[in-house]
Amino acid sequence: MRIGELAENCSVTTDTIRFYEKKGLIKSLRNPDNGYRTYSSSDIKKMMFIKHCKQAGFSLEDIRDLLLIWENKMDASCEDVKTLAEERLHKVEVMLSSLQTVHGILHTLVQSCCGGKESAEHCSILSAIEKGE
Amino acid sequence: MRIGELAENCSVTTDTIRFYEKKGLIKSLRNPDNGYRTYSSSDIKKMMFIKHCKQAGFSLEDIRDLLLIWENKMDASCEDVKTLAEERLHKVEVMLSSLQTVHGILHTLVQSCCGGKESAEHCSILSAIEKGE
DNA sequence: CTTGACCTTAGAGTATAGTCCAAGGTTTAT
DNA sequence: ATAAACCTTGGACTATACTCTAAGGTCAAG
Ligand SMILES: [Zn+2]
Ligand SMILES: [Zn+2]
Ligand SMILES: [Zn+2]
Ligand SMILES: [Zn+2]
């Protein structure tokens, strides 16, 4: 399989596959005649694993580590995997928390404003921002 | 006031002030003798306005527009302000939603794994990812 | 009169995850 | 034989909000 066919099979672009290779997520054999990258069906499985990891919110760096474990399950422990997942979960929770704070502020601001067509001189959003909420 | 003093007064770096100037958020007068940026106390108010906007989750581009309105309140309407805030609120809600999805997936994954020190061959996180949740 | 603290500029680097381009070589189909 | 479709590389560009560097000019104190 050449890169275009792998890309087709996995619904990604060839650019993405080359990018993942550069980042150390996938390797490729080369056709010695023309230098073309060559893949097997196990690379489809690998690309699908990567896509599932992304759906779960893992970064490419996380995924590189998860792939190493996945391809060498006997040399890794559940602890290794769980630690990785917990660290990502924690980062997501931190982001979620600050996003929720921001959401609350914006929601309050939006609700306070009449949204009318008259001058913004009396706008409660502007005065709330001015005062720092 | 020179840039260092404004930075000090607002707890930002001089780099940040120059960056905001480049992005069109603040302007500065120049001392004709030496080319140094010169600021007045209204620039402190402006910087504080910017900081409050950031706390509310607005982007620098949003803030540039908000500042234009704030400095010309009579030429703008509540509608203008509210529309800006609603658009940002919507973007935050979209981000929040995808982050919550990811949080749910990660939380389930973490809970499913024993986290033990034995081989990862039976790891439920890996098999869940493999299957695509 | 020199040292240190301040100011100037343009430009590069940080992080993330790609995406696009140019300039060239290869393969496939007509 | 030639055009379309594919492949190669390195490097630039996207978005966001800074942060840092280099190389130089200015200013106040001792
Ligand atoms: Zn109003
Ligand atoms: Zn209003
Ligand atoms: Zn286990
Ligand atoms: Zn496990």
Side-chain angles (χ1 to χ4, degrees):
Chain A
M1 208 186 319
R2 300 191 308 194
I3 197 171
E5 203 176 342
L6 177 62
E8 178 77 11
N9 279 318
C10 302
S11 307
V12 298
T13 68
T14 56
D15 272 335
T16 299
I17 295 174
R18 289 192 203 96
F19 179 73
Y20 287 173
E21 182 172 322
K22 199 158 56 182
K23 291 284 159 178
L25 275 74
I26 48 170
K27 305 117 234 151
S28 57
L29 296 172
R30 296 302 182 110
N31 178 332
D33 295 339
N34 53 23
Y36 285 10
R37 288 172 179 84
T38 306
Y39 301 97
S40 70
S41 63
S42 78
D43 293 308
I44 297 182
K45 274 185 205 138
K46 221 171 284 184
M47 279 300 304
M48 292 326 264
F49 186 86
I50 293 172
K51 291 187 83 180
H52 295 328
C53 286
K54 283 181 62 57
Q55 275 172 43
F58 289 106
S59 71
L60 292 191
E61 205 188 332
D62 292 342
I63 297 174
R64 203 191 48 211
D65 298 342
L66 283 170
L67 274 168
L68 276 175
I69 293 173
W70 184 55
E71 289 168 26
N72 258 322
K73 283 179 187 165
M74 41 297 188
D75 297 348
S77 64
C78 265
E79 194 182 15
D80 299 332
V81 180
K82 190 168 186 173
T83 298
L84 247 160
E86 279 171 344
E87 281 168 4
R88 174 54 51 190
L89 179 61
H90 181 246
K91 283 174 193 148
V92 166
E93 278 168 351
V94 169
M95 286 190 280
L96 212 40
S97 161
S98 65
L99 214 49
Q100 272 158 353
T101 300
V102 150
H103 180 269
I105 295 171
L106 281 173
H107 190 75
T108 305
L109 287 177
V110 163
Q111 279 198 322
S112 76
C113 174
C114 76
K117 292 199 186 296
E118 347 72 65
S119 151
E121 277 168 306
H122 76 284
C123 181
S124 47
I125 294 180
L126 291 182
S127 53
I129 293 175
E130 219 167 316
K131 288 198 283 279
E133 275 77 47
Chain B
M1 207 187 318
R2 300 191 306 193
I3 198 170
E5 203 176 341
L6 177 62
E8 179 76 10
N9 279 319
C10 302
S11 307
V12 297
T13 68
T14 56
D15 272 334
T16 298
I17 296 174
R18 290 192 202 96
F19 178 72
Y20 286 174
E21 181 174 323
K22 200 158 55 182
K23 292 283 159 179
L25 275 74
I26 49 171
K27 305 118 234 150
S28 57
L29 297 172
R30 295 301 183 110
N31 178 331
D33 295 337
N34 55 22
Y36 286 9
R37 288 172 178 82
T38 307
Y39 301 96
S40 71
S41 63
S42 78
D43 293 308
I44 298 182
K45 275 186 205 137
K46 220 171 284 185
M47 279 300 303
M48 293 326 262
F49 186 85
I50 293 172
K51 290 186 83 179
H52 295 327
C53 286
K54 283 180 62 59
Q55 275 172 44
F58 289 106
S59 70
L60 293 191
E61 206 188 332
D62 291 342
I63 298 173
R64 204 192 46 211
D65 298 342
L66 283 169
L67 274 168
L68 276 175
I69 292 173
W70 185 55
E71 288 167 29
N72 259 321
K73 282 181 186 162
M74 40 298 190
D75 297 348
S77 63
C78 265
E79 193 182 16
D80 298 333
V81 181
K82 191 169 185 173
T83 298
L84 246 160
E86 279 171 341
E87 281 168 5
R88 175 54 51 191
L89 180 61
H90 181 246
K91 282 174 192 147
V92 166
E93 279 168 350
V94 168
M95 285 191 281
L96 212 41
S97 161
S98 65
L99 214 49
Q100 273 158 352
T101 300
V102 151
H103 181 269
I105 295 171
L106 281 172
H107 190 77
T108 304
L109 286 178
V110 164
Q111 279 199 321
S112 77
C113 175
C114 76
K117 291 197 186 298
E118 348 73 63
S119 150
E121 278 168 305
H122 77 284
C123 182
S124 47
I125 293 181
L126 292 182
S127 52
I129 293 175
E130 220 167 315
K131 290 198 282 279
E133 277 74 49

